[in-house]
Amino acid sequence: MAHIVFVETTHLGIQAIEAAKRFGHRVSFITSGNVDWLLTEEDKMIVSQNVDHVWNTSDTQDVDAVRHALKACSTAFPVDAVLSTLHQCVPATTAAAAELGFPSTSPTGIENARDKSRCRQLLDEAQIPSVKHASVHSAKQALAALETIGYPAIIKPTTGMGKLITTFVHSESDVLAHFEQAESQLLNLDLSLRRELSLEFIIEELAVGPLYSIEVGVSAHGEWMPFAILRRKTGAHNPILEMGSIIPCGLSEAQYDEVAQYAIRVLKVLGLDLGIFHVEFIYTQNGPRLVEVNPRIAGGTIPDLIRAATGANLFEYLVRIFLGERIGLTKLECKIAASHSLIGVAEHCTVRANLPENWFEPIQQRLHSGYVDIRPGQIVKKMHTNYDVYGVVRTTADSYDAVVSKIDGFYAEVEQVLGIKLTEIRN
C-alpha cells in the first residue's frame, strides 16, 4: 500500500482520489478551505468518504504552507507521491514536494509551462514551430509589438487559466479596450484566481485552423503516451469560449502521429517529466502550432468524454503514473464516437417561471450523461468566460459526423425547452 497526498481538488479531480482509494492506497488530503466554492456538498461528502487523513493548512497556493502540511503528513506516514489537480495549487504543490524530496512533477517544468512568455521563448530556442509573440505591460507596448506581429492577434496574461482576461484584437481600439478593462476584470475574480493571473501580457500571432487538444502521459520510466486528441468547440461569436469537444478528433493517422510528436517535443523542452498534461494547439496548413500547455491533467469534462469514447479512466492512469508504475500504453483506441457541449447563455435573462422543475429529465434519459443547473424563475447571466457554465450534455454515436449531429440536436432541444438563446457553438 502506497501513500499518496492530494493538495485540494476539483469536482472532476475527485475521481483521482476515488481511484487511489479503490487501488487500496492510503490517501491524504491537504486543504485550506479557501477553494471549497469549487465543490458541491455531495463532492465534499465523496472526498471525506475516500480520504484517510485530512491535513489543514492556511494557504494551498503558498509553498511554505504546503511544505509545512506535507512535513506533518510525512511524519505520520511516509509519502510516496504528491499531486494537485487544481491548476492554481499546482505550482506550490510541486515546489514543496521537490524541496522535501517527494515524487511529483518538476517545479521547473511547471513554471516553464505556466509562464506563457517563457514557454514561447523555450520553443523558439529549440526551433520548435511556434507563432510570433511579444511580452508587454501596457497598451503602448502592445501597439508597438503588433506592428510586427500584425492583426488579428490574441492578448492573454502570461500566467493564467480558463482564458480569463483574454482578448482577440483586430484593431487599435480592441487593444486599448483590453488594457482599460484588465484590472477591473481581475478584481472581480475570486482571490484564488486573482493570485494565479498576471497583468503582464503576451501577444501572440493568431494561428489559423481548427482547435484541438492532446492529453499526454509521462511516466518515470520514460514513457511518453499521447493518449487522446480531441477536436475542440468554441463560441461562434467569441472563440475564447470553450464550448465542448469531440472524440475521435477527425485527424488522419499520419496527422495524429505528427501532433503526438510535436506535443512530446514541447513537453520535453519545457521539462514536464511526470503526470498527464493538457496541450492545446491549432492545426494549421503548416501543421500544429501551440496554443498553450496546462501542466496538469485536463480540466472541464474532457477526461469524462475520453472515458465515454475509450472506456479508459485517465485518473486511474494519473495515480499509477505518480506512484511510479509502468503504464505500457500509447494511443487509446476509441470504441465509439463521443461529444459534449457546455451549456452557456447568450444574454442575461430570467428563466420563465412556468418551466417544469423536472424539465431536463426527459432529455437526460436519452443522453450518455450530463446535467443542466437551470431552474424556473432563475436569473442566468451571459457567458463571458469559461466559468459561466450551467451544465453539459454528452452523447455517443458510431461516427464523428453522427455524434456531431446528435449532440447538436440535444443542444438545440435544451434551448427550445428553456426558451432561452444559448451560446452559439462553432464545431
Side-chain angles (χ1 to χ4, degrees), residues 120-271:
R120 291 290 180 192
Q121 291 169 9
L122 289 170
L123 263 61
D124 289 345
E125 291 169 8
Q127 298 184 326
I128 295 175
S130 187
V131 295
K132 291 183 285 186
H133 60 91
S135 297
V136 300
H137 293 84
S138 67
K140 181 179 180 180
Q141 291 178 344
L143 291 171
L146 283 162
E147 292 179 5
T148 300
I149 294 173
Y151 295 96
I154 188 167
I155 305 178
K156 53 190 176 184
T158 55
T159 61
M161 58 197 195
K163 307 301 189 294
L164 295 169
I165 320 182
T166 296
T167 306
F168 282 106
V169 293
H170 297 82
S171 65
E172 178 178 332
S173 61
D174 291 341
V175 176
L176 295 175
H178 173 89
F179 283 91
E180 286 170 0
Q181 300 165 10
E183 188 170 357
S184 62
Q185 290 179 4
L186 181 67
L187 292 174
N188 286 330
L189 297 173
D190 176 82
L191 177 61
S192 67
L193 299 177
R194 292 203 303 270
R195 292 173 63 187
E196 176 62 15
L197 286 156
S198 167
L199 286 180
E200 177 184 354
F201 294 92
I202 183 169
I203 300 178
E204 296 174 348
E205 172 190 13
L206 194 62
V208 178
L211 176 66
Y212 297 86
S213 63
I214 181 170
E215 312 309 314
V216 181
V218 186
S219 81
H221 301 278
E223 297 173 297
W224 294 84
M225 299 166 281
F227 286 133
I229 300 177
L230 292 82
R231 174 74 179 262
R232 306 300 300 281
K233 307 177 188 181
T234 57
H237 304 295
N238 182 359
I240 291 171
L241 299 177
E242 298 176 353
M243 299 302 302
S245 302
I246 310 162
I247 181 174
C249 62
L251 294 175
S252 68
E253 288 296 321
Q255 290 170 325
Y256 192 111
D257 291 342
E258 176 191 16
V259 167
Q261 292 308 309
Y262 177 83
I264 290 169
R265 285 182 68 196
V266 169
L267 295 176
K268 286 182 175 180
V269 163
L270 296 180

Side-chain angles (χ1 to χ4, degrees), residues 263-427:
I264 290 169
R265 285 182 68 196
V266 169
L267 295 176
K268 286 182 175 180
V269 163
L270 296 180
L272 290 167
D273 58 351
L274 187 73
I276 298 177
F277 306 109
H278 177 73
V279 181
E280 296 182 359
F281 65 95
I282 300 288
Y283 196 89
T284 73
Q285 62 180 3
N286 296 313
R289 295 295 183 269
L290 181 72
V291 173
E292 63 183 25
V293 176
N294 289 336
R296 39 81 180 163
I297 193 169
T301 54
I302 288 174
D304 285 344
L305 190 68
I306 292 172
R307 189 173 184 178
T310 69
N313 185 334
L314 282 189
F315 290 102
E316 291 186 351
Y317 292 130
L318 184 70
V319 170
R320 291 176 58 193
I321 285 170
F322 270 91
L323 290 176
E325 293 187 32
R326 187 181 294 276
I327 305 302
L329 287 174
T330 53
K331 175 183 176 182
L332 298 172
E333 294 300 324
C334 289
K335 300 174 182 177
I336 198 166
S339 180
H340 67 239
S341 293
L342 303 180
I343 303 298
V345 176
E347 298 294 340
H348 293 298
C349 62
T350 301
V351 180
R352 60 188 174 93
N354 64 347
L355 179 73
E357 288 285 350
N358 66 341
W359 69 270
F360 187 60
E361 290 181 10
I363 299 173
Q364 189 176 37
Q365 290 170 3
R366 291 176 282 125
L367 293 170
H368 174 278
S369 53
Y371 75 95
V372 180
D373 186 17
I374 294 179
R375 301 174 299 280
Q378 181 180 351
I379 297 173
V380 291
K381 64 178 182 177
K382 179 179 178 178
M383 188 177 186
H384 286 294
T385 76
N386 293 323
Y387 291 89
D388 301 325
V389 172
Y390 288 97
V392 59
V393 288
R394 184 180 298 109
T395 193
T396 57
D398 293 331
S399 69
Y400 180 97
D401 290 339
V403 82
V404 169
S405 175
K406 193 174 177 181
I407 196 65
D408 287 350
F410 281 121
Y411 194 78
E413 186 175 354
V414 169
E415 183 176 65
Q416 182 179 29
V417 173
L418 287 174
I420 293 172
K421 180 67 176 174
L422 299 183
T423 306
E424 192 173 343
I425 295 175
R426 177 183 290 118
N427 288 316

Side-chain angles (χ1 to χ4, degrees), residues 26-91:
R26 183 185 300 278
V27 179
S28 285
F29 186 60
I30 294 176
T31 182
S32 65
N34 297 331
V35 290
D36 280 0
W37 59 274
L38 289 165
L39 306 177
T40 65
E41 291 305 314
E42 182 180 359
D43 290 337
K44 295 172 188 175
M45 182 178 66
I46 295 172
V47 170
S48 67
Q49 290 172 343
N50 287 274
V51 166
D52 298 296
H53 313 281
V54 176
W55 305 85
N56 295 301
T57 191
S58 58
D59 187 353
T60 43
Q61 289 178 265
D62 178 78
V63 176
D64 291 338
V66 174
R67 183 176 59 245
H68 180 76
L70 280 174
K71 279 185 177 180
C73 183
S74 64
T75 299
F77 311 98
V79 171
D80 295 289
V82 181
L83 74 148
S84 178
T85 56
L86 181 58
H87 186 96
Q88 54 265 47
C89 293
V90 169

